[in-house]
Amino acid sequence: VQGARVRLVGEMEAYERLATTLKTVREEKMASLRTSVNVGCDLYMQAMVPDTSRVMVDVGLGFYAEMTVEEALAFVDKKVTDLQKRADTKSHESSEISAQIDVVLQGINELMHA
């Protein structure tokens, strides 16, 4: 459960970084962009985005969708909200499991000292 929550938080952070970059592109009216792209195994390469009017966004399950900056920001906002709800659910599940473990340990301790 904790591992799933950590993965969700990591994904959420990645989308938040994307939102920050998209807001900068929009506010600075950047026509092109120089950036670093993760090409796998945390190996990054320099990349040039010649036209920032449309961006490719990871929508999940290995699929990408081409969107305008505004569409991408709206998608990211919804995605982060969903990921936060899922992370909160995992936190709640983790707390419940921890409470159940405490009850079992107390029971074992009582049996050992009876």
Side-chain angles (χ1 to χ4, degrees):
V1 175
Q2 284 291 63
R5 184 186 179 288
V6 168
R7 283 190 297 279
L8 289 170
V9 169
E11 189 175 348
M12 194 168 44
E13 290 171 351
Y15 278 108
E16 288 170 343
R17 284 192 304 274
L18 174 61
T20 300
T21 301
L22 291 171
K23 287 175 185 174
T24 301
V25 166
R26 180 183 65 191
E27 291 165 5
E28 300 293 326
K29 296 179 174 49
M30 299 170 74
S32 63
L33 173 70
R34 243 188 186 339
T35 188
S36 295
V37 178
N38 186 346
V39 293
C41 299
D42 287 330
L43 176 65
Y44 289 83
M45 294 185 69
Q46 290 290 321
M48 177 67 176
V49 180
D51 177 15
T52 60
S53 65
R54 301 191 69 76
V55 293
M56 298 295 288
V57 179
D58 180 356
V59 294
L61 300 174
F63 290 97
Y64 289 79
E66 185 176 343
M67 302 178 189
T68 66
V69 171
E70 294 303 321
E71 290 169 337
L73 283 168
F75 172 80
V76 167
D77 185 50
K78 290 178 184 177
K79 186 72 172 181
V80 167
T81 300
D82 175 62
L83 290 169
Q84 183 63 57
K85 287 179 186 175
R86 292 170 52 198
D88 291 345
T89 300
K90 293 297 179 190
S91 292
H92 181 70
E93 288 174 8
S94 178
S95 296
E96 286 181 350
I97 291 169
S98 181
Q100 291 171 356
I101 289 170
D102 287 342
V103 169
V104 169
L105 289 174
Q106 284 177 341
I108 291 171
N109 193 27
E110 288 175 15
L111 288 172
M112 290 178 66
H113 292 93

